[in-house]
């Protein structure tokens, strides 16, 4: 296989990177602290079911987010399922299609219909001005997604929710450590849901959490994630198994001790990408509002093919040929995935901004696994691709 740089007679046939550079390479905190915790859990023979690390993790997360209740679970998908059930959602729920498939599946799994709403192309988040038009007598709620960690228009959604009597959940899978108007994410709507999956900048291997300031809801969620047990031999509710175990909580606690380092690394990397891509025509790096706290996890680039002369997909092919495994999140949009594609074959006509964005966007590697020299090289490859792309891209076989 010929690489891109090889075709430009740069590097004489080798790829830019020997090892693959992934998006979503996990950040890992202090190994010794983690291994000590795991050993403790094993020695005390308490491995799951609301163990001491789970309780400590929940307390630390409540402190970190300022939310009254943080209930950890095995992943964010089950957390979304449980919270939507605990809130009594049914019928139809309005969601963006520009999100990871889990947002839609968590509803459909419970036979709640996700009604896809278009996004604001500037924010990439659900467009509140289009939400109202999607409300029907069957609508019971809205799930907003804080895409890339940039908060939705929480105030506008709140108003719509109040006006129509709808519940509001935020899928905050990307937004741990971020703020909205200076307040930590975890405090808006009826509840917010975090993901601590390995690919998130803050991870517990797998894991998720619901944050809420509603006491009654929190109690219901705690019952639901543990089969409805209210004490030994006393089941008072229908429930499932959404419990986090001790090894996961040990990883979460260890990650939390390093969260400032992870955030600082992401920010440093973001600034390096900003510098490296700044004057590249047709390549637009996603901006974060620096007055807020951001986790800068996602290095998001929009490619304007008319200006660059190269498509997003060809740029991704070039990057992959150099071992930079850029991702096309969230291509092709939930409405183009099954079962939604079959259920709503014309949905794309109502989602023009989502359709356009899914053709333009790509995500580059970030986190503690990438360094300054690597970022500089990634930016150079992108520069070459934009400046020389059309000359060689057709010859490229990836
Ligand atoms: N809502 C939103 C908005 C979400 O983005 C997500 C998850 C959820 C809800 C659901 O949260 P969880 O139920 O997962 O807690 C990945 C993640 O699997 C997924 O959690 C995440 N969003 C999504 C944005 O990204 P894929 O399909 O891209 O995964 P995969 O296997 O292709 O891995 C991504 C990259 O990470 C690859 O380049 C390999 C690298 N990687 C991955 C793992 C697991 C590593 O280097 N090491 C690893 O251990 O979905």
């Amino acid at each position: 296989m010929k690489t891109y740089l090889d075709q430009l007679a740069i590097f004489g046939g080798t790829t830019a990177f020997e090892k693959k550079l992934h998006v979503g390479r996990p950040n890992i905190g202090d190994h010794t602290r983690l291994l000590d915790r795991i050993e403790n859990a094993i020695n005390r023979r308490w491995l799951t079911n609301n163990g001491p690390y789970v309780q400590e993790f929940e307390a630390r997360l409540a402190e970190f987010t300022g939310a009254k209740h943080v209930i950890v679970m095995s992943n964010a998908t089950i957390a979304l399922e449980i919270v939507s059930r605990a809130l009594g959602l049914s019928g139809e729920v309005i969601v963006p299609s520009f999100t990871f498939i889990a947002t839609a599946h968590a509803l459909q799994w419970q036979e709640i219909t996700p009604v896809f709403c278009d996004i604001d192309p500037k924010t990439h988040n659900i467009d509140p001005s289009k939400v109202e038009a999607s409300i029907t007598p069957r609508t019971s709620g809205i799930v907003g997604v804080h895409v890339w960690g940039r908060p939705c228009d929480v105030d506008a959604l709140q108003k719509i929710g109040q006006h129509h009597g709808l519940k509001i959940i935020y899928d905050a899978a990307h937004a741990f450590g971020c703020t909205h108007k200076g307040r930590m994410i975890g405090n808006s709507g009826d509840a917010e849901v975090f993901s601590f999956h390995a690919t998130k900048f803050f991870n517990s291997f797998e894991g998720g959490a619901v944050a809420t300031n509603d006491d009654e809801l929190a109690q219901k969620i705690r019952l639901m994630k543990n089969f409805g047990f209210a004490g030994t031999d006393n089941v008072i509710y229908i429930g499932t198994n959404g419990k986090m175990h001790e090894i996961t909580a040990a990883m979460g606690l260890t990650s939390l001790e390093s969260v400032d380092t992870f955030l600082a690394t992401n920010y440093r990397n973001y600034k390096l990408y900003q510098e490296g891509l700044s004057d590249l025509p047709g390549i637009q790096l996603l901006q974060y509002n620096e007055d807020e706290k951001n986790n800068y996890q996602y290095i998001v680039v929009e490619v304007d093919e008319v200006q660059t002369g190269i498509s997003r997909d060809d740029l991704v092919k070039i990057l992959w040929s150099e071992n930079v495994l850029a991702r096309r999140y969230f291509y092709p949009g939930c409405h183009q995935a099954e079962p939604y594609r079959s259920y709503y074959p014309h949905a794309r006509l109502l989602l023009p901004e989502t359709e356009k964005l899914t053709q333009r966007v790509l995500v580059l590697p970030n986190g503690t696994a990438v360094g300054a020299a690597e970022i500089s090289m990634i930016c150079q490859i992108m520069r070459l691709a934009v400046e020389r792309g059309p000359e060689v891209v057709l010859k490229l076989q990836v």
Side-chain angles (χ1 to χ4, degrees):
M1 182 192 79
K2 279 211 155 210
T3 75
Y4 180 69
L5 296 179
D6 189 29
Q7 302 229 8
L8 295 179
I10 300 172
F11 288 162
T14 58
T15 49
F17 297 105
E18 261 173 48
K19 276 198 297 191
K20 290 182 171 31
L21 287 183
H22 291 271
V23 170
R25 207 82 178 134
N27 292 325
I28 297 168
D30 187 317
H31 292 211
T32 313
R33 299 274 295 159
L34 174 63
L35 295 175
D36 283 351
R37 283 191 166 110
I38 293 174
E39 191 158 18
N40 282 343
I42 291 166
N43 288 342
R44 71 178 157 231
R45 290 177 191 259
W46 196 278
L47 305 184
T48 184
N49 289 13
N50 206 27
Y53 283 149
V54 161
Q55 290 180 32
E56 188 185 344
F57 191 31
E58 288 187 339
R60 293 270 163 87
L61 290 170
E63 222 172 274
F64 185 84
T65 58
K68 201 164 169 195
H69 307 277
V70 178
I71 304 142
V72 296
M73 301 208 196
S74 42
N75 58 64
T77 307
I78 194 103
L80 283 166
E81 285 168 18
I82 289 178
V83 73
S84 45
R85 201 167 175 121
L87 281 168
L89 297 189
S90 63
E92 296 172 0
V93 169
I94 298 167
V95 289
S97 172
F98 190 73
T99 179
F100 189 61
I101 196 68
T103 319
H105 276 356
L107 297 164
Q108 187 69 47
W109 192 253
Q110 304 176 81
E111 302 193 350
I112 300 169
T113 303
V115 173
F116 296 119
C117 180
D118 212 0
I119 49 163
D120 177 340
K122 288 198 279 309
T123 64
H124 299 185
N125 284 329
I126 193 165
D127 183 344
S129 73
K130 294 184 180 143
V131 167
E132 207 117 15
S134 308
I135 297 174
T136 73
R138 296 187 71 229
T139 310
S140 59
I142 302 168
V143 177
V145 182
H146 302 311
V147 176
W148 318 130
R150 300 192 309 178
C152 295
D153 188 343
V154 165
D155 298 339
L157 291 176
Q158 198 64 32
K159 252 192 221 154
I160 296 170
Q162 259 161 14
H163 185 67
H164 294 272
L166 305 176
K167 302 287 185 193
I168 299 190
I169 301 170
Y170 290 105
D171 177 338
H174 299 182
F176 186 70
C178 303
T179 56
H180 171 253
K181 294 191 173 167
R183 200 171 183 212
M184 293 303 279
I185 296 290
N187 292 280
S188 294
D190 290 286
E192 305 208 56
V193 173
F194 296 114
S195 170
F196 308 137
H197 182 261
T199 54
K200 301 291 181 265
F201 89 99
F202 170 86
N203 86 86
S204 61
F205 298 120
E206 288 267 1
V210 177
T212 181
N213 291 316
D214 179 333
D215 299 340
E216 211 178 304
L217 179 66
Q219 203 194 351
K220 219 171 184 181
I221 290 170
R222 283 196 184 283
L223 285 170
M224 281 185 157
K225 75 152 187 180
N226 187 28
F227 315 103
F229 273 109
T232 312
D233 302 335
N234 187 23
V235 175
I236 61 163
Y237 214 80
I238 182 171
T240 181
N241 183 354
K243 290 172 280 132
M244 179 181 274
H245 60 68
E246 287 292 275
I247 305 297
T248 295
M251 181 65 163
L253 284 166
T254 310
S255 292
L256 204 52
E257 286 165 354
S258 293
V259 74
D260 290 339
T261 313
F262 300 157
L263 288 166
T265 307
N266 281 355
Y267 183 60
R268 180 208 62 181
N269 290 351
Y270 174 75
K271 286 287 164 189
L272 290 169
Y273 276 113
Q274 204 172 43
E275 213 178 284
L277 300 174
S278 62
D279 55 347
L280 207 48
I283 296 289
Q284 198 189 327
L285 180 70
L286 188 95
Q287 303 292 310
Y288 290 94
N289 175 358
E290 300 225 5
D291 294 335
E292 298 280 4
K293 281 188 182 164
N294 302 290
N295 59 35
Y296 297 96
Q297 171 179 347
Y298 289 100
I299 306 292
V300 182
V301 166
E302 278 183 64
V303 182
D304 180 340
E305 189 176 346
V306 176
Q307 278 191 62
T308 55
I310 184 167
S311 71
R312 184 275 312 269
D313 288 352
D314 280 338
L315 190 52
V316 168
K317 271 192 211 163
I318 287 171
L319 288 164
W320 275 61
S321 84
E322 300 303 333
N323 273 341
V324 180
L325 307 191
R327 294 297 297 260
R328 299 182 296 178
Y329 290 137
F330 294 102
Y331 176 82
C334 294
H335 64 291
Q336 299 278 29
E338 291 296 356
Y340 316 109
R341 186 172 55 196
S342 298
Y343 288 171
Y344 322 111
H346 305 300
R348 64 192 174 80
L349 300 175
L350 298 170
L351 302 167
E353 298 302 343
T354 305
E355 285 274 311
K356 275 187 246 165
L357 189 62
T358 58
Q359 300 296 329
R360 289 163 64 92
V361 83
L362 69 84
V363 176
L364 295 167
N366 195 10
T368 50
V370 274
E374 287 157 327
I375 292 169
S376 163
M377 177 59 78
I378 294 170
C379 294
Q380 281 180 56
I381 297 168
M382 290 185 59
R383 188 168 295 277
L384 278 167
V386 169
E387 285 168 3
R388 310 267 306 268
E391 285 175 41
V392 291
V393 82
L394 295 177
K395 285 191 269 165
L396 192 72
Q397 303 287 320
V398 182

